[in-house]
Structure formats: structure tokens, C-alpha cells
Amino acid sequence: VQLQASGGGLVQAGGSLRLSCAASERTLSRYFMGWFRQAPGKERESVAAMSRSNTWYADSVKGRFTISRDNAKNMVYLQMNTLKPEDTAVYYCAADTHPGIWGRPEEYSYWGQGTQVTVSS
């Protein structure tokens, strides 16, 4: 599976962005999809993930971010609202058929190239 993330940019605190992840796989529905982020000098951390119908979120983004998918279009999205400066990072989408723990990056086999999100205060 090839993944390509897009939609990042510069936004003021309190603003919104929607990230998109385009997948090459026609049967995207069988993949568990995740969003991760990595800030400078920090480890990659989980943001959100989605199976066919269930979702999971990191505590830091609950109530602000929403993950969704459109299997017919081979797309996964991350709607980010009420952005904070601490959300600044490179955001990656990832996929795997059976990740053991949704929040562990090493559980995912396929990764997109990342898109930069910068939130100014």
C-alpha cells in the first residue's frame, strides 16, 4: 500500500485544518488506518486510528480531532479543530491489516511521507 498525506500548512491557534491521506490500495476497507505525528526532537506519537467502524484518539486530541475514511475513494482524513501550538508537528498516515496496539508506530507496515502542520500562537 502506498500512502500520500497532504493538507498541512500554517494556521493560527484556534484554527482548523483537514489532512488527507490517499491510498493506492483499492481494498482500503480491510486496513486499519492511523495518524501519527512527530515534533522536532520528540518521538513519533499516535494521534488517532480507525478500523472499519471504530475509532481511537490520543487524550491530547480528543474532542478536537476527528478521523474518518472513505473507502470508495481510498481516502482517510483527519479533521483538526481548535488547533494549539503544541499540535505543531509532521503528521503521518499509516496502515496495517492487523496492528496489535493502535497507538504503537511499530505496529504499522505502511507509511506516507508526512505533511507539516504549524500552529502559531
Side-chain angles (χ1 to χ4, degrees):
V1 178
Q2 293 183 333
L3 304 172
Q4 184 168 0
S6 61
L10 173 63
V11 63
Q12 289 188 333
S16 298
L17 281 175
R18 188 177 82 153
L19 304 184
S20 299
C21 178
S24 62
E25 177 59 50
R26 292 185 179 182
T27 56
L28 187 64
S29 61
R30 68 188 186 98
Y31 286 86
F32 196 102
M33 302 299 299
W35 283 96
F36 292 79
R37 66 187 181 187
Q38 188 166 16
K42 295 187 177 181
E43 293 186 352
R44 191 167 297 188
E45 64 176 6
S46 58
V47 176
M50 187 172 188
S51 63
R52 288 188 178 184
S53 57
N54 293 325
T55 58
W56 292 264
Y57 295 94
D59 289 342
S60 59
V61 306
K62 280 181 181 177
R64 300 189 298 122
F65 291 11
T66 302
I67 186 172
S68 62
R69 62 194 300 164
D70 187 335
N71 292 326
K73 295 182 178 179
N74 300 328
M75 296 291 293
V76 179
Y77 305 99
L78 185 68
Q79 178 66 44
M80 306 186 296
N81 298 328
T82 319
L83 283 161
K84 304 176 181 180
E86 51 264 42
D87 294 319
T88 295
V90 177
Y91 283 70
Y92 300 88
C93 59
D96 199 274
T97 52
H98 293 95
I101 299 174
W102 78 267
R104 293 182 60 186
E106 55 266 36
E107 300 285 344
Y108 293 76
S109 301
Y110 307 99
W111 290 84
Q113 85 288 4
T115 184
Q116 176 70 48
V117 172
T118 304
V119 184
S120 63
S121 58

